Amino acid sequence: IMYAGALFTVAEIPGGALFMSAFDMSKCYPILADLAIKFVKPAMTDVFVEAKLSEEDIARVNAELESNGKSNYVLNLELTDANGVVVATTHATYQARMHKR
């Protein structure tokens, strides 16, 4: 059975990974504000997660960063096992912040 802390890590990493691919890290950085996880079933195999931000969310976050220096974005994810069975669900809020000028 996969350790709960490992599942939490699998659930948290996509928020930062998405950030690095969608935003300019030389101008801003991500912070995890909160993450709630519900363990649904024991994970007995490899675990997978898919996360994405819409073009609209990316544009909104960029606009709020420029005007406010920070912006929140939310990811609701499902962690699935090798058979496609949901083993955990998450609700996470990340905050993008501009570097100090």
Side-chain angles (χ1 to χ4, degrees):
I1 295 175
M2 189 175 293
Y3 175 64
L7 288 172
F8 181 93
T9 301
V10 169
E12 191 278 328
I13 288 174
L18 281 174
F19 188 88
M20 289 189 289
S21 66
F23 302 102
D24 184 351
M25 293 285 293
S26 70
K27 294 181 180 180
C28 55
Y29 59 95
I31 295 173
L32 176 64
D34 68 65
L35 189 147
I37 187 166
K38 181 178 180 184
F39 300 102
V40 179
K41 292 187 179 262
M44 306 295 285
T45 67
D46 291 343
V47 174
F48 303 89
V49 64
E50 182 178 323
K52 53 184 133 178
L53 284 172
S54 69
E55 292 297 323
E56 294 80 16
D57 279 335
I58 293 169
R60 176 190 59 77
V61 169
N62 275 319
E64 290 176 2
L65 279 168
E66 289 297 322
S67 64
N68 303 326
K70 61 184 177 180
S71 178
N72 290 347
Y73 58 101
V74 173
L75 292 178
N76 293 301
L77 304 177
E78 291 184 337
L79 283 70
T80 58
D81 68 11
N83 300 312
V85 175
V86 174
V87 297
T89 60
T90 64
H91 174 84
T93 303
Y94 293 83
Q95 185 173 86
R97 289 191 182 183
M98 295 293 279
H99 291 290
K100 300 271 188 217
R101 295 179 186 172

